Amino acid sequence: MIEQKDEVLANHLTNRGMDDKMVMGHPAGLFVLFFTEMWERFSYYGMRALLTTFLISEIAKGGWGWTNESAMSLYGWYTMLVYATPIIGGYIADKLTGQRKAILIGALLMTLGHASMALEGFEKNFFFLGLGLMILGNGMFKPNISSMVGQLYPNTSSKKDAGYTIFYMGINAGSFLGSLLCGYLGEKIGWHYGFGLAGIFMFFGMLQFFVAQRVFGVIGEQPKKETAAIMDEEETPKNVVRDRLVVVAILMIASIFFFLAFEQAGGSMTIFAKNYTQRVLDGTHAITFKWLDALLTIIPIGAVTFVLFKLSAKIFDKYPLTIIFTLLSFASIAALGIWKVYREFTAVDTEVTVAWFQILNAFFIVTFASLFSKLWEKVWNPSGPVKFALGLILVGIGFIVLAYGSSSIPKGAETAAVSMIWLILAYFFHTMGELCLSPVGLSYVSKLSPKKLLGLIFGFWFLASAIANKIGASMGGMIDKISQEYSMSVFFLIIAALPIVVALVLLLLNPMLKKKMHGIN
């Protein structure tokens, strides 16, 4: 089937020195960014899947034996700084380096950070040095790769939201594989193996982006080189810019209430999975899980490999090293996946790792991202505030499910063994909420922000996530206190209430916010 050419999009790409070849109806450059971000998220979520569990695990099992509250405190500071530093990285890229160099600097720093964490068995300070390097690297990397996605499309393109959703699928493919494989190696073999594996694939991501830079034309170059290419954009009136920035600010505030709940995945939900969920399986349950886990390992690797082959058909002749490096990384991932499946099928006991539950969010996104992309593009495309409200309501429902599932846990209990189904359902609702909010948020920041400040404003978007992560971790650290004084259900209901209330406020403000967007939807 021959793809129908989007002339407006093709002209936009040509004016920026890019090839107008399309992959699945989108610029080929989108998929280079897709794979770069995928490996970065592999490294980040692979490490995050282990962080809290490593800190609270017994010293006899190689962990540090920290209390839940202490682990949540470090987790909160780390995730806050990871999302706060992009405001600096966005400014540096806007004023000095351009997005491309910032991405490469960030990738190098994060690779060194993971390598340092892998040495924690020799000296504990390597662990903290690694966290610091990853914080700095993420600050340079994260806002700039997101802003480059937005620059691939004109603001009027109906494909922009869909492009961000596809990009978001890449983020979550990396999250899925990282949580699955780094989590498995860390918990089953040794913590430092999990931390080290995360760094190896960050290095792969850096290499494949480095050799593919020409695919972006002038997009992401140093600011002085890029200025001439974007002079064709109309000067936006100051009152319109101001109104649109007000909308961006309100959406950022709303996102804080989403992410303080959503990011419990690495905090209180990890504690719930480790101490309160039945993870040792036997009989038919064990056999069923082994087959399910095998399918969840092999099928996603195959699906993302299919996307890689689609990209290679378009750009291999011009950028062979990019495809070769990415193929090598996928061959390594496939080998690890097959080894993991074989090891589990030959094991006597079946124990679900704590990190396994964190793959569910990414799995649901990879499964449903295309559906949401088509929904917004062809079926129903409500305003940004309505999409945000839907996301907030759905993440609240996820915690209502957990509150119900934990209702049988006695007040003050330190361990329990409730069914895995409640965590699985919670992750499902959280993911549906994320698909309504996160990729849409990235797209609206790109569409509503002045181009000369795009990197900086993306930095503010991630600053909102930083605030949410710190507040969320502080709330997660109260899980023991609230469970002892009231119950585990009350703890989850408190978290559920906050995003649902904010969703109702957004729905009330929707007419006013639509006017302030001045035609952008």
Side-chain angles (χ1 to χ4, degrees), residues 146-147 149-153 155 160 164 248 440-451 454 457-458 520:
S146 298
S147 65
V149 173
Q151 294 173 69
L152 296 176
Y153 301 87
N155 275 344
K160 194 166 192 174
Y164 266 107
V248 170
V440 172
L442 292 173
S443 180
Y444 270 82
V445 169
S446 175
K447 289 190 288 189
L448 294 169
S449 303
K451 293 295 171 286
L454 192 59
I457 293 173
F458 265 110
I520 288 181

Side-chain angles (χ1 to χ4, degrees), residues 55 169 184 236 245 248 279 318 347 367 429 438 446 490 500:
L55 292 172
M169 188 165 67
Y184 185 85
T236 306
L245 288 177
V248 170
R279 295 185 292 110
K318 287 188 176 181
T367 304
F429 283 111
S438 285
S446 175
V490 170
I500 291 174

Side-chain angles (χ1 to χ4, degrees), residues 58 122 170 214 312 485 510:
E58 298 87 342
F122 297 99
R214 288 184 297 118
S312 66
E485 292 187 12
N510 180 50

Side-chain angles (χ1 to χ4, degrees), residues 117-158:
M117 286 190 74
L119 300 174
E120 60 81 24
F122 297 99
E123 168 58 53
K124 283 190 174 183
N125 286 328
F126 278 121
F127 180 85
F128 297 108
L129 173 64
L131 290 179
L133 287 169
M134 285 190 292
I135 287 166
L136 295 174
N138 188 81
M140 293 296 288
F141 186 100
K142 191 66 179 170
N144 296 304
I145 196 165
S146 298
S147 65
M148 280 187 70
V149 173
Q151 294 173 69
L152 296 176
Y153 301 87
N155 275 344
T156 55
S157 176
S158 62

